[in-house]
């Protein structure tokens, strides 16, 4: 009797375990079957382009379930940490947002975490559909690892047109003009420059535009190969100009993010801000402002003819169970239709050379033309110029610099961080 009872208990236990493990397997299967698309495009000014792209994919492939796995936080402030734990924990997303350049090549490709996708480029005939400079940014040792969905420009100065007109001011093109305009605005009680460095990358982005404006493209590029030192007099001059600009920012900069800072300009509480052209998506889609009526745009001081490139790209991580479906998604993202669905809303320009220019507003049209004729330089703040480890140190140094304004201390921190670039 007792033995019979034990056998019965054992039987029930085995049955329960089997049910339990088959449930886990099917859950896993469901999870793996879904294409989870990982990015940091959530909320105001960020997600409209992605949503349009996902809708287009669902129209084309209704049988492939997708999941928008975005993690909030500008420039990937939080997403990059979540991504790292997923990638290193053997749970890669089906595909994820990654900047072309160092972030992709020295990061995930060097770590052996990405599959080359040259075959996809061949199948889709993409060899001459993306500018060679962009293909180079997503390639390592002849292998291509991702597909650029866009090109954002980092060196844009946005300004409130009404404030400028009412005060008889012209958008500044040089640092001298910037300070003249800033003084005039300050005298009228208007905050000249909006900054929202609650997430420090925004200050890093402002700083890198000053570097480009002071040094020019060639010397700017030398910084990231270790061929120009951060204690070079010209680089120190850039740090001095950057601190001087900080004399003109809103007092509450440390409690605002990039959207909150852009909002100050849209509302006319501040006159200018320096931000990538995702700000245009925010001005137009979220704040309902009109390009060239409510707000204007110009390259940041000293950077006429120069283009700070930020490219968001998506690739194929190693170890995903649905590689064919991922490639379907990448093929839509890399198509003319996909690029035009995404970029018209995002504020960026299409990465493809044959997109439909007529779909873009005046800002987009101007930027498409500028890209063709400008000197290109990669953004540090957005991961293309140097590896993530260095960028983390720069963001920390900048964060201290913004409050302490100690050029010598900042120069020392940057010089020692840059030792790893050689
Ligand atoms: C950049 C990204 C842009 C935009 C921006 C603000 O790193 O390339 O697409 O999302 O961050 O979050």
């Amino acid at each position: 009797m007792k033995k019979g009872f034990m056998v019965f208990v054992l039987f029930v236990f085995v049955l329960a375990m089997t049910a339990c493990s088959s449930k886990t397997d099917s859950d896993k299967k469901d999870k793996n079957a879904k294409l989870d698309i990982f990015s940091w495009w959530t909320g105001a000014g960020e997600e409209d382009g992605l949503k349009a792209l996902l809708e287009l994919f669902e129209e084309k492939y209704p049988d492939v379930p997708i999941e928008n796995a975005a993690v909030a936080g500008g420039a990937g402030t939080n997403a990059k940490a979540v991504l790292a734990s997923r990638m290193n924990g053997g749970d890669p997303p089906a595909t994820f947002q990654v900047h072309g350049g160092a972030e992709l090549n020295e990061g995930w490709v060097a770590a052996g975490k990405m599959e080359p996708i040259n075959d996809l480029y061949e199948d889709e005939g993409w060899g001459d559909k993306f500018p060679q400079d962009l293909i180079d940014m997503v390639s390592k040792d002849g292998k291509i690892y991702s597909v650029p969905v866009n090109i954002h420009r980092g060196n844009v100065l946005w300004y409130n047109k009404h404030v400028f007109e009412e005060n008889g001011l012209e958008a500044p093109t040089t640092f001298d003009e910037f300070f003249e305009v800033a003084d005039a605005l300050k005298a009228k009680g208007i905050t000249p420059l909006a900054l929202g460095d609650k997430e420090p990358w925004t200050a890093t982005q402002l700083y890198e535009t000053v570097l480009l404006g002071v040094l020019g493209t060639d010397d700017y590029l030398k910084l990231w190969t270790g061929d120009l030192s951060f204690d070079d007099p010209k680089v120190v001059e850039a740090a001095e100009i950057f601190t001087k600009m900080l004399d003109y920012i809103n007092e509450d900069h440390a409690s605002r993010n990039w959207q909150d800072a852009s909002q100050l300009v849209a509302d006319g509480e501040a006159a200018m801000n320096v931000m990538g052209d995702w700000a245009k998506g925010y001005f137009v889609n979220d704040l309902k402002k009109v390009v060239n009526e409510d707000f204007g745009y110009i390259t940041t001081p000293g950077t006429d003819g120069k283009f700070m490139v930020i490219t968001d790209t998506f690739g194929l991580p190693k170890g995903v169970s649905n590689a064919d479906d991922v490639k379907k998604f990448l093929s839509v993202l890399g198509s003319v239709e996909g690029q035009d669905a995404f970029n018209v809303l995002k504020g960026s320009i299409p990465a493809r050379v044959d997109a439909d220019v007529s779909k873009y507003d005046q800002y987009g049209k101007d930027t498409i033309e500028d890209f063709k004729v400008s000197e290109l330089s990669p953004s540090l703040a957005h991961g293309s110029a140097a590896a993530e480890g260095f960028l983390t140190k720069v963001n920390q140094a900048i964060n201290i610099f913004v409050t302490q304004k100690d050029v010598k201390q900042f120069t020392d921190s940057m010089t020692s961080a840059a030792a790893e670039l050689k």
Side-chain angles (χ1 to χ4, degrees), residues 40-41 46 73-75 97 99 150 152 201 258 278 310 312 346 382:
W40 54 85
W41 292 325
E46 297 272 43
Q97 176 186 3
H99 293 121
N150 66 358
H152 268 305
W201 63 268
W258 73 262
W278 44 91
I310 296 153
D312 295 302
K346 185 67 166 66
H382 299 281

Side-chain angles (χ1 to χ4, degrees), residues 53 56 60 124 126 130 147-149 329-341 343 350 352 354-355:
L53 183 64
L56 180 68
K60 298 212 177 277
E124 299 288 333
W126 283 344
F130 293 94
V147 187
V149 67
F329 178 73
L330 297 180
S331 75
V332 173
L333 173 152
S335 68
V336 169
E337 210 183 345
Q339 302 245 320
D340 287 339
N343 288 298
R352 281 186 74 123
D354 55 350

Side-chain angles (χ1 to χ4, degrees), residues 152-262:
H152 268 305
R153 187 175 206 172
N155 56 320
V156 190
L157 183 120
W158 307 95
Y159 59 98
N160 182 303
K161 279 222 141 192
H162 308 295
V163 170
F164 268 66
E165 273 158 28
E166 281 155 22
N167 292 285
L169 297 169
E170 295 273 323
T173 60
T174 63
F175 289 108
D176 285 347
E177 284 175 18
F178 174 86
F179 291 117
E180 272 168 36
V181 164
D183 282 331
L185 289 159
K186 208 173 180 176
K188 294 271 176 78
I190 301 161
T191 301
L193 183 66
L195 179 71
D197 66 336
K198 186 173 162 188
E199 293 165 357
W201 63 268
T202 58
T204 303
Q205 184 167 350
L206 176 60
Y207 171 61
E208 72 183 359
T209 65
V210 177
L211 283 174
L212 184 63
V214 173
L215 300 176
T217 306
D218 289 349
D219 278 349
Y220 172 86
L221 293 175
K222 284 185 192 158
L223 284 171
W224 320 123
T225 52
D227 292 318
L228 182 68
S229 168
F230 278 86
D231 58 13
D232 181 279
K234 272 193 290 181
V235 185
V236 175
E237 187 196 332
E240 277 157 1
I241 291 178
F242 174 63
T243 27
K244 199 173 160 198
M245 287 174 109
L246 297 175
D247 291 340
Y248 295 91
I249 61 175
N250 44 302
E251 273 177 18
D252 62 354
H253 61 93
S255 60
R256 288 178 182 264
N257 62 18
W258 73 262
Q259 288 98 332
D260 304 329
S262 305

